[in-house]
Amino acid sequence: MDPTTDNAADTGDPGTARASLEALRAEIAKAVVGQDPAVTGLVVALLCRGHVLLEGVPGVAKTLLVRALASALELDTKRVQFTPDLMPSDVTGSLVYDSRSSEFSFQPGPVFTNLLLADEINRTPPKTQSSLLEAMEERQVTVDGTPRMLPDPFLVAATQNPVEYEGTYPLPEAQLDRFLLKLTIPLPSRQDEINVLTRHAEGFNPRDLRAAGVRPVAGPADLEAARAAVAKTSVSPEITGYVVDICRATRESPSLTLGVSPRGATALLSTARAWAWLTGRDYVIPDDVKALALPTLRHRVQLRPEAEMEGVTADSVINAILTHVPVPR
């Protein structure tokens, strides 16, 4: 492991932890081109003990991004391909009868990991989708009445395909609200796409991150030190009021049938604190709230059908609200 990780583990120094987490961008860039905002969002989610919904067309490196993050953080990761016939026990695990001991033993499912990639979560029925709810919220799964704790850190990164809805099961609003952030993974720019093809022409293998040079630059100890520092990041009453005003404005917007709940307001405050700490401050400013407003709130609002037909998007509504809500000084 990188020496900075060992140092953070020994001292728990927030400054060392911040430097290690900042190094993630450069390390992941060895495998994934041009996705710095998504990397930052995943780190913010880890600091806030939240989960992430990744939305993007096929082939924009969503899976590779999560695998590279796990490799750079030296965390365990597993992937579940959600399909219409996937059962809840395929995710959480099940009791298996051992004929030699004549007893049932628990066989853990893929959810027992640090970073779980739930690929195309909207392709599986609600019964299986909901099997993740307890794991995401309670950090445990219950099988045959026995609760079993999940490892820490634990993050679910669920992916969705935004252009193909036939045969899918859209996540209900209550389940969307369980995700801390919704990150959109855009198509790369022309130069970034040229860089991707150049790497592949030079022999880059996305299945072999070690050969690509991705190495651990941070670890669980850094995350613990960082989480402790984020928890001490101060928030003024004016900032708290600003967050509340933004969320209340979504409930009054004529373009929305569903606004942001108090849980969403709490999430925005948490992500703003994490972003403030990552940028080197121990206090939150309005720009921190603005920076995380879109990824934190876009999946917590619901557009009116007539607004959607006119081309209005959740992002445009939230941006308009950020423009009109008075900023504290």
Side-chain angles (χ1 to χ4, degrees):
M1 182 180 290
D2 188 85
T4 57
T5 306
D6 295 334
N7 189 31
D10 294 337
T11 65
D13 176 51
T16 305
R18 183 189 289 117
S20 298
L21 292 177
E22 287 175 349
L24 281 175
R25 294 184 185 181
E27 204 62 28
I28 293 174
K30 295 177 181 178
V32 182
V33 176
Q35 297 294 357
D36 281 355
V39 174
T40 301
L42 287 166
V43 172
V44 166
L46 282 168
L47 294 179
C48 298
R49 290 182 167 87
H51 307 284
V52 175
L53 189 63
L54 299 172
E55 188 170 273
V57 299
V60 289
K62 298 186 291 295
T63 301
L64 181 60
L65 175 63
V66 175
R67 289 182 54 241
L69 176 67
S71 181
L73 282 172
E74 208 171 30
L75 297 175
D76 184 38
T77 182
K78 292 177 182 174
R79 174 179 176 271
V80 179
Q81 179 65 53
F82 279 74
T83 56
D85 60 348
L86 194 74
M87 299 296 290
S89 58
D90 295 329
V91 178
T92 61
S94 59
L95 293 176
V96 178
Y97 182 73
D98 188 342
S99 59
R100 289 174 296 182
S101 63
S102 299
E103 293 180 349
F104 284 93
S105 61
F106 178 66
Q107 184 67 35
V111 75
F112 286 85
T113 186
N114 297 123
L115 271 67
L116 176 67
L117 178 63
D119 216 350
E120 294 190 294
I121 191 174
N122 57 335
R123 290 204 173 276
T124 201
K127 182 178 181 179
T128 306
Q129 291 175 357
S130 63
S131 68
L132 276 179
L133 282 179
E134 182 189 12
M136 292 168 61
E137 191 69 18
E138 306 296 335
R139 310 285 164 156
Q140 67 177 26
V141 297
T142 302
V143 178
D144 197 34
T146 303
R148 304 174 193 275
M149 298 304 297
L150 296 172
D152 184 45
F154 173 67
L155 178 143
V156 173
T159 71
Q160 281 194 149
N161 180 345
V163 296
E164 189 179 3
Y165 289 105
E166 186 176 352
T168 63
Y169 304 84
L171 293 172
E173 283 71 22
Q175 191 163 339
L176 284 172
D177 203 38
R178 302 280 181 176
F179 288 95
L180 181 73
L181 299 172
K182 179 180 178 181
L183 305 175
T184 56
I185 311 297
L187 288 167
S189 66
R190 182 177 184 274
Q191 186 56 53
D192 283 343
E193 197 163 359
I194 289 174
N195 293 339
V196 170
L197 268 63
T198 301
R199 290 185 181 189
H200 280 267
E202 293 172 351
F204 170 71
N205 182 359
R207 295 173 181 81
D208 189 358
L209 295 178
R210 188 177 297 274
V214 179
R215 62 191 178 92
V217 293
D222 296 283
L223 285 176
E224 281 304 310
R227 286 170 172 176
V230 169
K232 296 177 183 177
T233 303
S234 63
V235 181
S236 68
E238 291 77 16
I239 293 295
T240 303
Y242 183 51
V243 170
V244 169
D245 289 343
I246 291 172
C247 294
R248 290 181 68 86
T250 64
R251 302 168 204 163
E252 299 166 0
S253 171
S255 299
L256 302 176
T257 58
L258 179 70
V260 177
S261 69
R263 180 191 291 166
T266 302
L268 180 54
L269 187 61
S270 297
T271 56
R273 292 176 81 183
W275 177 245
W277 180 81
L278 280 172
T279 53
R281 281 178 281 101
D282 60 358
Y283 57 92
V284 180
I285 62 174
D287 283 349
D288 300 324
V289 177
K290 290 181 177 180
L292 272 297
L294 283 180
T296 308
L297 303 182
R298 59 163 59 109
H299 57 297
R300 303 175 193 269
V301 299
Q302 188 174 13
L303 288 167
R304 292 187 181 278
E306 55 270 28
E308 200 166 2
M309 291 176 63
E310 294 173 0
V312 176
T313 64
D315 284 13
S316 65
V317 173
I318 294 170
N319 279 326
I321 287 172
L322 292 174
T323 302
H324 291 98
V325 172
V327 180
R329 303 201 176 271

